Amino acid sequence: MSAPVQAADTESGHATLSGEDLTAASERIRQTGAKMREDLRKARAHLDAQKAQDETEKARLAAEKTRQAAERQHQEELERQQALKEKQQREAQLATQERMRKEAAARAEQQAERQRQDALTAKQQEAAREQAARTRAAEALKDARASVGIRAFGDDRQAARTRAAEALKKARESTGVRAFGE
């Protein structure tokens, strides 16, 4: 078969190739094709490995992002719970303070009422003592008038004054000086 190729090449004016040259060229083409297929296979394998590595990195980043989001959410939940706990503690403390304030106000009001009642009772007792002293003084005066007679007061004003002063002195001694406002 090499002869017809060689003859055709001679007629056209080109140099002719021998069968060995063609076999060598064919072998080089086959080796070059095999090398190109091998390079292409390696390039695809490298590309696939790179894609897999990129996808692994994307998955790792997505997982890290998800983990961080979950951690943020957990932290926010902890902060929310802490804020709620602090709010409840503040409200409980305020309620306790308010209850204590009301109790103190009630105690103060009760004490003020007791003091007011004590003062009122003391005032009533003082008024009763004064009234009793006046009554005793009037009785003493009445007794003094009855023992001497009414004309005696008219006749001897000095003696009447002395008896009235003595009756007043007795009344004061029996109730105390304060009963008469002195």
Side-chain angles (χ1 to χ4, degrees):
M1 179 122 172
S2 63
V5 172
Q6 193 176 17
D9 285 338
T10 310
E11 290 175 10
S12 63
H14 295 288
T16 60
L17 295 176
S18 68
E20 286 178 20
D21 289 338
L22 286 177
T23 304
S26 174
E27 183 59 29
R28 277 194 306 243
I29 290 172
R30 189 187 62 70
Q31 286 176 356
T32 302
K35 175 74 172 145
M36 287 175 69
R37 280 190 298 277
E38 180 63 25
D39 289 346
L40 185 58
R41 186 188 61 75
K42 286 180 181 179
R44 280 187 185 150
H46 180 70
L47 184 61
D48 289 344
Q50 185 64 41
K51 282 182 181 179
Q53 187 178 8
D54 289 348
E55 287 179 18
T56 302
E57 182 64 16
K58 281 181 186 179
R60 186 190 67 75
L61 290 174
E64 178 65 19
K65 189 174 181 180
T66 302
R67 184 193 64 75
Q68 287 176 352
E71 189 174 312
R72 266 193 316 274
Q73 188 175 10
H74 178 71
Q75 186 64 31
E76 288 171 358
E77 179 63 21
L78 287 177
E79 289 172 0
R80 187 189 65 77
Q81 288 175 356
Q82 181 66 27
L84 181 61
K85 184 178 178 181
E86 288 173 2
K87 179 182 176 189
Q88 289 171 342
Q89 287 174 342
R90 279 192 309 272
E91 288 174 353
Q93 186 178 19
L94 288 174
T96 300
Q97 288 173 349
E98 181 65 17
R99 185 177 48 45
M100 291 173 67
R101 186 193 62 76
K102 284 181 180 179
E103 289 172 359
R107 283 192 303 272
E109 188 175 327
Q110 289 172 351
Q111 184 177 2
E113 180 61 23
R114 277 193 305 273
Q115 289 174 347
R116 190 182 66 77
Q117 288 296 329
D118 291 347
L120 182 60
T121 301
K123 189 174 181 180
Q124 289 171 346
Q125 288 173 349
E126 184 66 25
R129 280 194 297 272
E130 287 177 15
Q131 183 61 38
R134 285 187 189 119
T135 303
R136 282 192 301 276
E139 286 294 321
L141 185 58
K142 182 178 174 185
D143 289 345
R145 283 184 180 170
S147 69
V148 174
I150 297 219
R151 277 194 289 178
F153 284 104
D155 293 341
D156 188 7
R157 288 188 183 263
Q158 185 60 31
R161 284 188 186 148
T162 304
R163 283 189 301 273
E166 286 178 20
L168 183 59
K169 182 178 177 184
K170 285 181 184 179
R172 282 183 180 167
E173 288 174 0
S174 66
T175 61
V177 176
R178 291 181 52 215
F180 292 96
E182 294 177 358

